[in-house]
Amino acid sequence: MIIITDPAQTSLLAARALGVVWLLQLEFTDFTYRYSSFNRNLVAGGFGWIGLGKLLSVGDLRESTDPSTQTIPVRLSVADQSQLALGLGNVEAYRGRPARLYLALLNEHYQVVGPPRLRSVLEMQPVKMDRESPGAEGGTVGGYIELPLSAPGMARARNAEGMRLSYEQHWFENPGDRFLEFVLGLIKQPTPWLSKRFQQQ
């Protein structure tokens, strides 16, 4: 579901021709990468987005009020050497860092209409490489880089599958009870506990 409040986007949704593309923002420690599932570069939200077309694919995104361990796989083709270098880089440069998924609407002239709509803020996990084996006669070898994106804090939550009740659900069933208000914050930003041995140093 796309929440639309922009009049131009509302009009576009009623038009005969429109396009919907993914915008993927990866916030590495040293640089922010911006990609689009469109087949050419776009300008949206004041930024340039590199058009990867079919070289970029985004898995199914399910939205729910429940805490979820769902991992969204983002695949980048190794056909682009710059993406291959990104995938083989230092894992500490991106692990646990934010990845933002936006949806953008295009008109019949392939221009972005209105501001991109933020669909999810996730965290990057270590990439997985899958390269195809060359044929008997050799030739070009393809493959892809899979970048798993998970909900903030859920990669660290050992018992996340058992967490079925969110603060919003608890508030709905028990108005005024703030018992679960800070649970999500504790998952996203856990407080480090120092061991007794460390404190004695």
Side-chain angles (χ1 to χ4, degrees), residues 33 35 43 48 59 61 64 74 86 89 98 100 114 116 134 139 151 154 172 182 193:
Y33 297 87
Y35 301 113
V43 175
L61 176 62
S64 172
V74 170
L86 183 152
R100 302 176 190 274
M154 286 303 165
F172 180 78
F182 303 104
W193 290 87

Side-chain angles (χ1 to χ4, degrees), residues 129-198:
M129 297 287 295
D130 189 348
R131 303 205 66 163
E132 300 172 357
S133 301
E137 299 180 357
T140 304
V141 177
Y144 61 84
I145 302 166
E146 181 174 305
L147 175 63
L149 304 180
S150 64
M154 286 303 165
R156 299 188 300 267
R158 297 180 180 178
N159 300 316
E161 287 294 345
M163 297 169 55
R164 298 300 181 188
L165 190 64
S166 68
Y167 170 60
E168 290 79 6
Q169 292 170 320
H170 182 73
W171 179 275
F172 180 78
E173 295 178 1
N174 304 276
D177 190 340
R178 302 173 60 185
F179 179 68
L180 297 178
E181 180 177 4
F182 303 104
V183 169
L184 188 58
L186 291 173
I187 293 175
K188 290 183 178 180
Q189 299 177 336
T191 302
W193 290 87
L194 304 180
S195 66
K196 181 178 179 181
R197 179 180 299 179
F198 180 85

Side-chain angles (χ1 to χ4, degrees), residues 2 36 39 42 47 52 61 69 71 73 85-86 94 98 100 112 130 137 146 165 180 190 193 196 199:
I2 307 175
S36 164
N39 58 9
L42 295 173
F47 299 102
L52 297 180
L61 176 62
T69 57
T71 298
L86 183 152
Y94 65 87
R100 302 176 190 274
V112 177
D130 189 348
E137 299 180 357
E146 181 174 305
L165 190 64
L180 297 178
W193 290 87
K196 181 178 179 181
Q199 295 180 55

Side-chain angles (χ1 to χ4, degrees), residues 54-132:
K54 293 183 179 180
L55 299 181
L56 167 67
S57 67
V58 178
D60 294 336
L61 176 62
R62 304 186 187 97
E63 298 180 272
S64 172
T65 58
D66 294 324
S68 173
T69 57
Q70 177 198 8
T71 298
I72 301 173
V74 170
R75 290 185 175 182
L76 299 166
S77 173
V78 299
D80 188 325
Q81 292 300 312
S82 64
Q83 312 315 319
L84 181 60
L86 183 152
L88 296 177
N90 180 12
V91 68
E92 299 304 326
Y94 65 87
R95 181 169 52 190
R97 299 278 300 170
R100 302 176 190 274
L101 276 171
Y102 299 84
L103 278 180
L105 299 182
L106 306 181
N107 61 19
E108 67 275 15
H109 302 296
Y110 309 112
Q111 297 173 331
V112 177
V113 176
R117 298 295 167 178
L118 179 64
R119 304 314 302 144
S120 189
V121 180
L122 304 160
E123 289 183 352
M124 293 180 275
Q125 303 303 326
V127 300
K128 304 173 184 177
M129 297 287 295
D130 189 348
R131 303 205 66 163
E132 300 172 357

